[in-house]
Amino acid sequence: AKPQEYKERLEKRHETKKDVLGHSKQAEFVRVMEQEFEQRDKMAAGDGASGGFTKNKTLGSILNLEMIKDKTGEEIAQLWMQYYSTKDTISAAIPSQIYEVILGRSKSCPMFLFALPQKEGYEFFVGQWSRHELHFSSLINIQMLGENAPSQLILYHYPDLKEEKGVVLMTAEMDPKFITVHQAQCLANQVQLFYGTQRQETYRLVETFNHHPEDFKHMSVIAELEQSGLGSAGAPGGS
């Protein structure tokens, strides 16, 4: 309908692709993102949701909690994984002690830049924690749309059984136009790699991104991915 406007948007997208998230602009980028996600959280709180695709989705709406009260954490984890194995999404059963580490770190470092392997190179996604949800939006979308950039993948963590059964259940929703199940699994694996790691050098990247953004280098994320073996996990044909 508006050829000139469309042409300008295409040119802007082309420039954005060339403008890889770099050393000099990182601090400014993090400040802007903090403001945008803060506004998103306020809007979510206002309508009683937490910004996800499904509002107020509880564990009880997925599992019959009465039926599993006599089962062990291992049995519940097995049921959870079996239930989602036939669905077009991902799932996980996270031991409570590991989730405690991830959750604690998410409070002090609520954002990180994740790298998704593609056929050629990597595509960057910004992950932002909102309580027990982790929202992913592609860096290109954020640079183009700012606070209007939609979540393309959301990981939902349910800590309801954490104390009694020793397990935290996770599942996800994604926009299939942008994210495949295989790619969602790759990003979810990176959450444990960077937030659940016992290797301080790995977690230091998350701390640097949040607290010393001027020192953050996006290539360090790629190097860590490749060292861990996840560097080819998101590309078609990866494992």
Side-chain angles (χ1 to χ4, degrees), residues 93-102 162 166-168 192:
I94 307 168
S96 293
Q97 62 270 27
I98 294 177
Y99 186 71
E100 285 286 357
V101 172
I102 293 172
K162 181 166 65 72
V167 66
V168 173
Q192 185 151 334

Side-chain angles (χ1 to χ4, degrees), residues 105 193-194 196-204 224 227:
R105 289 171 169 178
L193 172 65
F194 289 105
T197 182
Q198 295 182 358
R199 187 171 179 266
Q200 193 56 41
E201 292 85 351
T202 303
Y203 179 60
R204 194 169 291 128
E224 195 66 37
Q227 181 178 331

Side-chain angles (χ1 to χ4, degrees), residues 53 150-154 173-180 183:
F53 298 163
S151 297
Q152 293 164 307
L153 168 67
I154 305 173
E173 289 183 335
M174 66 202 74
D175 186 336
K177 295 191 298 292
F178 299 100
I179 296 281
T180 68
Q183 291 170 331

Side-chain angles (χ1 to χ4, degrees), residues 203-219:
Y203 179 60
R204 194 169 291 128
L205 290 175
V206 182
E207 291 181 310
T208 302
F209 184 86
N210 285 268
H211 302 298
H212 304 286
E214 66 281 358
D215 296 327
F216 180 83
K217 295 182 177 67
H218 66 281
M219 290 303 295

